[in-house]
């Protein structure tokens, strides 16, 4: 580890959130340490890394979508230069309808909404995809090879001596006037990027998260078109060779982080409706998404503790949102421009009371 004792930032958590903040800090020339405990069920490593400008059954265009997409591409161009690998794959989605009603609803929605700029052809035929009720192409989408990127960037940060592998104990992270101290090191500011483990953080456990467990399968299937992401109830994202990630489940009541038989059956059931080719299951994984009650991220300073920040709540769309939100976060910290109210922690200040500490 670095021998330096005074830093600008201490980041807790090196998932998608913490790593996107680290990238911005490097660009800003700020010093930092990042502490991360490796966990098997880290949401960021299980994620398919897919990004899609439109979301949900009601097909709404994402909040600030143009800026989200621009920041995502800019960020991964920079990672390509830094780490020497291309992690972002641009790939349109071929979304197949589940029934006639879905197809009719889509046509109606297309006439009255603003997502048509992201809709391509409805004539693309894909071998192995069940398109009995028709399909359409979503433009501007793709995926990030999330696990590979996380491992490579964490390795780079380790080599620089700024990533520490351990669980951060909040009893050891203490305010010193308006600054913070962890062991022998002083920090101007601390940011919690702990994902669903925010629950163990004594300063932020009061935030209104509504966690959502997700499970995915990895399958081997020969003969599919790897140029597209396929979607029908579940998505199929190419990984390597003939291997695809199939996901995901959305489980709002769950006992623990581990993969379940019910999750597997749910995915197989949907996969059978999507695929017309034989496949073999090779792996099952699970993780917990840091989803919030109003489905928006939570960024900003603690209501009482100066220079203690939260950057969390990336929910189901960590990859699409994190690069833009990391830039937005530091603009707010360093220029006092204020955070977009949709993602600012201030919307939840009324949930906080000192009795909860
Ligand atoms: C099955 C599934 C599929 C998904 N698919 C997609 C997808 O296709 N596209 C997409 O954009 N999003 C997807 N997501 C959502 C995405 O994974 C999340 O939005 C994102 O990973 C959240 O990142 P995070 O860094 O906030 O949290 P996490 O990934 O949970 O990372 C938090 C990190 O902080 C560490 N940590 C926590 N507390 C401490 C502590 N006290 N000390 C040290 N370290 C600590 C943890 O160990 C972990 O490494 C998916 C999620 C799941 C579960």
């Amino acid at each position: 580890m670095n021998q330096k004792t005074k830093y600008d930032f201490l980041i807790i958590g090196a998932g998608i959130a913490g790593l996107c903040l680290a990238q911005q800090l490097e660009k800003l020339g700020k010093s930092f340490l990042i502490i991360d405990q490796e966990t098997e069920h880290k949401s960021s490593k299980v994620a398919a890394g897919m990004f899609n400008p439109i979301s949900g059954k009601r097909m709404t265009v994402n909040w600030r979508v143009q800026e989200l997409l621009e920041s995502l591409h800019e960020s991964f161009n920079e990672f390509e230069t830094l780490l020497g690998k291309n992690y972002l794959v641009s790939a349109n989605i071929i979304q197949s309808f589940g029934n006639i009603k879905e197809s009719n609803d889509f046509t109606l929605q297309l006439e009255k909404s603003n997502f048509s700029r992201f809709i391509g052809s409805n004539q693309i035929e894909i071998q192995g995809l069940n398109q009995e009720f028709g399909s359409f192409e979503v433009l501007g989408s793709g995926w990030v090879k999330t696990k590979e990127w996380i491992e490579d960037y964490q390795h780079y940060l380790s080599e620089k001596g700024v990533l520490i592998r351990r669980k951060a104990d909040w009893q050891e992270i203490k305010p010193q006037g308006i600054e913070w101290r962890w062991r022998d090191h002083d920090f101007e500011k601390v940011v919690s990027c702990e994902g669903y483990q925010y629950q163990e953080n004594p300063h932020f456990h009061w935030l209104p998260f509504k966690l959502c467990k997700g499970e995915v399968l990895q399958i081997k299937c020969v003969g599919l078109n790897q140029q597209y992401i396929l979607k029908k109830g579940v998505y199929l994202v190419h990984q390597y060779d003939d291997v695809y990630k199939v996901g995901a489940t959305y489980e709002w009541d769950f006992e623990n982080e581990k993969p379940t038989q019910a999750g597997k059956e749910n995915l197989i059931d949907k996969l059978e409706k999507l695929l017309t080719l034989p496949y073999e299951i090779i792996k099952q994984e699970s993780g917990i998404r840091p989803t919030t009650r109003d489905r928006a991220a939570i960024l900003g300073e603690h209501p009482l503790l100066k220079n203690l920040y939260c950057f969390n709540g990336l929910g189901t769309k960590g990859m699409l949102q994190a690069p833009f939100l990391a830039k937005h976060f530091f603009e707010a910290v360093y220029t006092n421009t204020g955070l977009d109210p949709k993602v600012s922690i201030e919307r939840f200040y009324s949930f906080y009371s000192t009795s909860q500490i």
Side-chain angles (χ1 to χ4, degrees):
M1 192 174 79
N2 260 343
Q3 291 313 303
K4 198 171 153 94
T5 58
K6 175 84 201 272
Y7 296 84
D8 295 313
F9 269 87
L10 173 64
I11 303 174
I12 311 298
I16 293 175
L19 292 178
C20 285
L21 287 187
Q23 181 190 36
Q24 289 304 316
L25 284 173
E26 287 202 291
K27 281 175 70 175
L28 291 165
K30 301 286 178 188
S31 58
F32 64 93
L33 285 184
I34 177 162
I35 306 180
D36 185 69
Q37 183 192 29
E38 193 46 42
T39 47
E40 196 189 334
H41 301 288
K42 177 193 297 210
S43 179
S44 299
K45 277 200 173 173
V46 173
M50 209 167 79
F51 55 90
N52 181 353
I54 48 182
S55 60
K57 281 207 168 119
R58 272 180 277 141
M59 308 279 300
T60 46
V61 175
N62 274 304
W63 167 82
R64 297 181 78 158
V65 71
Q66 209 52 45
E67 291 160 287
L68 295 184
L69 287 170
E70 277 167 21
S71 296
L72 175 69
H73 284 274
E74 183 189 313
S75 183
F76 278 91
N77 281 338
E78 288 166 6
F79 278 123
E80 189 173 349
T81 307
L82 182 75
L83 303 170
K85 275 193 209 165
N86 175 26
Y87 301 98
L88 187 148
V89 182
S90 292
N92 294 342
I93 298 170
I94 303 298
Q95 172 126 24
S96 185
F97 297 115
N99 50 51
I100 289 289
K101 182 177 180 313
E102 262 185 33
S103 165
N104 291 340
D105 288 350
F106 171 77
T107 312
L108 283 175
Q109 189 81 343
L110 195 57
E111 282 165 11
K112 60 178 186 187
S113 75
N114 62 348
F115 66 82
S116 55
R117 66 197 150 117
F118 293 111
I119 302 302
S121 168
N122 60 0
Q123 301 293 323
I124 299 173
E125 283 189 24
I126 302 281
Q127 188 193 354
L129 173 67
N130 177 354
Q131 290 168 287
E132 62 182 313
F133 300 108
S135 63
F136 63 96
E137 182 186 23
V138 180
L139 312 175
S141 51
W143 78 88
V144 171
K145 297 170 185 169
T146 320
K147 188 165 182 280
E148 202 177 330
W149 160 64
I150 288 177
E151 286 171 359
D152 290 351
Y153 192 38
Q154 286 187 348
H155 178 73
Y156 164 89
L157 294 172
S158 274
E159 295 281 294
K160 275 187 80 173
V162 298
L163 174 66
I164 301 162
R165 295 284 191 191
R166 68 166 69 233
K167 186 174 172 75
D169 178 354
W170 281 95
Q171 300 307 320
E172 292 186 324
I173 304 172
K174 298 194 176 107
Q176 300 274 311
I178 59 162
E179 298 202 337
W180 289 79
R181 171 159 271 242
W182 174 72
R183 302 196 167 179
D184 294 334
H185 308 285
D186 292 313
F187 302 88
E188 228 171 70
K189 299 172 196 302
V190 179
V191 198
S192 157
C193 302
E194 296 169 283
Y196 81 96
Q197 286 163 286
Y198 82 97
Q199 291 162 314
E200 294 171 35
N201 182 322
H203 307 303
F204 288 119
H205 64 80
W206 50 274
L207 285 167
F209 280 81
K210 193 169 185 306
L211 300 177
C212 180
K213 179 174 172 181
E215 302 192 43
V216 286
L217 298 175
Q218 275 196 32
I219 61 160
K220 191 170 176 191
C221 179
V222 179
L224 281 174
N225 187 333
Q226 300 177 344
Q227 193 189 329
Y228 294 102
I229 295 170
L230 308 183
K231 213 167 164 218
K232 184 176 195 240
V234 281
Y235 56 72
L236 228 74
V237 179
H238 180 237
Q239 303 291 291
Y240 58 90
D241 300 336
D242 289 316
V243 174
Y244 298 80
K245 205 162 246 196
V246 181
T249 63
Y250 292 84
E251 302 164 35
W252 300 97
D253 291 310
F254 52 87
E255 278 174 19
N256 56 43
E257 314 90 325
K258 299 200 175 110
T260 61
Q261 186 58 27
K264 187 176 182 177
E265 283 165 14
N266 178 310
L267 292 170
I268 292 175
D269 185 46
K270 290 179 175 149
L271 185 59
E272 297 281 336
K273 294 184 178 117
L274 180 153
L275 263 188
T276 59
L277 288 171
Y279 64 90
E280 175 196 343
I281 296 173
I282 53 177
K283 197 172 178 184
Q284 183 181 4
E285 295 168 291
S286 58
I288 301 181
R289 304 173 181 93
T291 19
T292 61
R293 202 183 281 184
D294 63 1
R295 305 284 192 276
I298 306 179
L299 274 54
E301 197 170 17
H302 188 275
L304 287 185
L305 296 168
K306 192 91 193 112
N307 289 326
L308 174 65
Y309 294 84
C310 172
F311 186 99
N312 205 335
L314 296 180
T316 56
K317 295 179 214 143
M319 211 60 261
L320 178 62
Q321 300 188 87
F324 169 74
L325 289 179
K327 266 192 352 196
H328 183 55
F329 177 79
F330 287 117
E331 271 160 22
V333 167
Y334 285 114
T335 65
N336 263 330
T337 46
L339 288 156
D340 187 314
K342 179 155 171 90
V343 293
S344 171
I345 192 173
E346 289 181 22
R347 71 194 191 278
F348 296 131
Y349 274 0
S350 62
F351 285 63
Y352 181 74
S353 86
T354 44
S355 62
Q356 287 168 300
I357 294 182

